[in-house]
Amino acid sequence: MFRLMLVLLLAVSMPPVFAQAVKAPAPAYEPTVGQEGKDVVWVPTPQVVVDKMLDLAKVTKDDFVMDLGSGDGRTVITAAKRGARAMGVEYNPNMVELSKRNAEKEGVTDRVQFVKADLFETDFTKATVITMFLLPDINLKLRPKILAMKPGTRVVSNTFTMGDWKPDETAELGAGGNGNCNESWCTALFWVVPAKVAGTYKTPQGDLVLKQSFQMLTGTLRTKEKTVPLEGKVRGEEITFKAGGKEYRGRLNGKQLELK
Ligand SMILES: C[S@@+](CC[C@H](N)C(=O)[O-])C[C@H]1O[C@@H](n2cnc3c(N)ncnc32)[C@H](O)[C@@H]1O
């Protein structure tokens, strides 16, 4: 009798324990396109555009790629699949956790890092490539910091511009372009941080005056015979310009301009 009562007592006390053991796992976090973000909502970059952005930047295993506002981590993960080290900066902690899970699924955890942080308070000076899909006014706010980065740093933005700093290259993948991208937000814009080269230089080819607006160069070249206007570009530390019907290439070496 005592045994029976004990069994009954145990049975009564079992259900909550049992209920706990079979409790369904919490559903995985599913982001919604257009959901609020700190400064910009989440909309993912179409994968063909991510691929093109990294193609334009010629990402290799030697790069350190930083995606500012990294969403579900797709750009960071794609860069890591190309062998690069990559970091995503994302304000939404759920997206950070989702990115980590996605990186695990793709087998790239050893090369990626996702941090929960505000991109405006993040030091990205160590990046060799910056990727972003933000908004024109955010790009403009970031522009002074980006222009102060090491010359040659590559920057790629999905669709949004950088004001009067015109892109070095643009790839249109939507209906107006090669049509590979069937969604919205299908334009990849690419810039290379230019060295600051404005100034006057004495070179074997003549006296050079360079004026600079972002990567665009104007100025004059004065030889023994005449002074001619010049037009050119600076891409990282490489300078190219045309003057008097001739093409010149050069590189700033400290304060010295080496021209060919
Ligand atoms: C348009 S989505 C782009 C996501 C991803 N880069 C891509 O191309 O698929 C912008 C992302 O930036 C995040 N974000 C917004 N403001 C931010 C801030 N101040 N700091 C960090 N992340 C931010 C949003 O949560 C969102 O995930």
Side-chain angles (χ1 to χ4, degrees):
M1 187 61 183
F2 174 71
R3 271 195 174 185
L4 184 66
M5 277 179 70
L6 192 66
V7 168
L8 280 172
L9 204 66
L10 274 174
V12 169
S13 64
M14 278 300 276
V17 176
F18 184 68
Q20 219 174 24
V22 295
K23 198 173 153 197
Y29 171 72
E30 290 263 2
T32 311
V33 174
Q35 74 187 20
E36 280 302 305
K38 182 174 176 287
D39 293 288
V40 50
V41 299
W42 176 64
V43 176
T45 293
Q47 187 59 43
V48 284
V49 181
V50 171
D51 294 336
K52 189 68 189 183
M53 287 166 73
L54 300 182
D55 287 349
L56 286 172
K58 297 191 170 68
V59 167
T60 73
K61 64 174 182 38
D62 299 326
D63 280 308
F64 177 44
V65 178
M66 281 183 78
D67 190 31
L68 306 181
S70 49
D72 63 4
R74 60 185 58 202
T75 306
V76 169
I77 291 167
T78 308
K81 282 177 153 181
R82 294 185 183 203
R85 283 181 308 116
M87 180 190 273
V89 180
E90 170 59 53
Y91 199 76
N92 179 332
N94 291 324
M95 295 303 274
V96 172
E97 290 312 310
L98 175 65
S99 304
K100 288 180 182 169
R101 287 196 295 278
N102 289 342
E104 211 167 305
K105 278 187 211 149
E106 298 295 332
V108 291
T109 46
D110 56 331
R111 288 194 295 287
V112 302
Q113 201 186 340
F114 291 100
V115 290
K116 192 263 159 210
D118 187 334
L119 60 91
F120 287 112
E121 281 157 27
T122 300
D123 175 10
F124 48 81
T125 52
K126 290 208 165 61
T128 57
V129 176
I130 295 286
T131 57
M132 47 197 195
F133 179 24
L134 297 165
L135 281 172
D137 62 316
I138 299 181
N139 290 1
L140 272 186
K141 270 198 214 165
L142 292 172
R143 196 174 82 176
K145 273 192 184 175
I146 292 176
L147 281 165
M149 289 177 82
K150 191 168 180 278
T153 303
R154 290 97 83 206
V155 184
V156 211
S157 165
N158 179 359
T159 302
F160 297 118
T161 56
M162 204 90 77
D164 50 353
W165 182 15
K166 299 295 174 215
D168 291 294
E169 284 176 57
T170 300
E172 179 50 70
L173 305 182
N178 68 13
N180 275 347
C181 179
N182 302 318
E183 304 162 56
S184 303
W185 316 113
C186 293
T187 308
L189 306 172
F190 173 71
W191 297 259
V192 181
V193 172
K196 291 172 184 58
V197 297
T200 54
Y201 304 91
K202 286 209 174 297
T203 75
Q205 291 85 346
D207 292 347
L208 196 60
V209 177
L210 289 182
K211 294 179 186 161
Q212 180 172 9
S213 171
F214 305 104
Q215 72 273 56
M216 307 310 287
L217 299 177
T218 53
T220 54
L221 178 65
R222 195 176 81 199
T223 62
K224 276 184 201 134
E225 298 85 42
K226 56 186 173 180
T227 300
V228 287
L230 69 83
E231 268 189 18
K233 276 185 96 173
V234 51
R235 191 174 169 109
E237 290 177 330
E238 305 292 332
I239 293 168
T240 51
F241 66 85
K242 276 187 185 170
K246 274 181 79 177
E247 276 190 33
Y248 297 84
R249 294 187 158 272
R251 154 184 285 274
L252 196 61
N253 191 356
K255 290 211 160 133
Q256 212 54 37
L257 189 69
E258 292 162 358
L259 266 193
K260 279 187 221 154

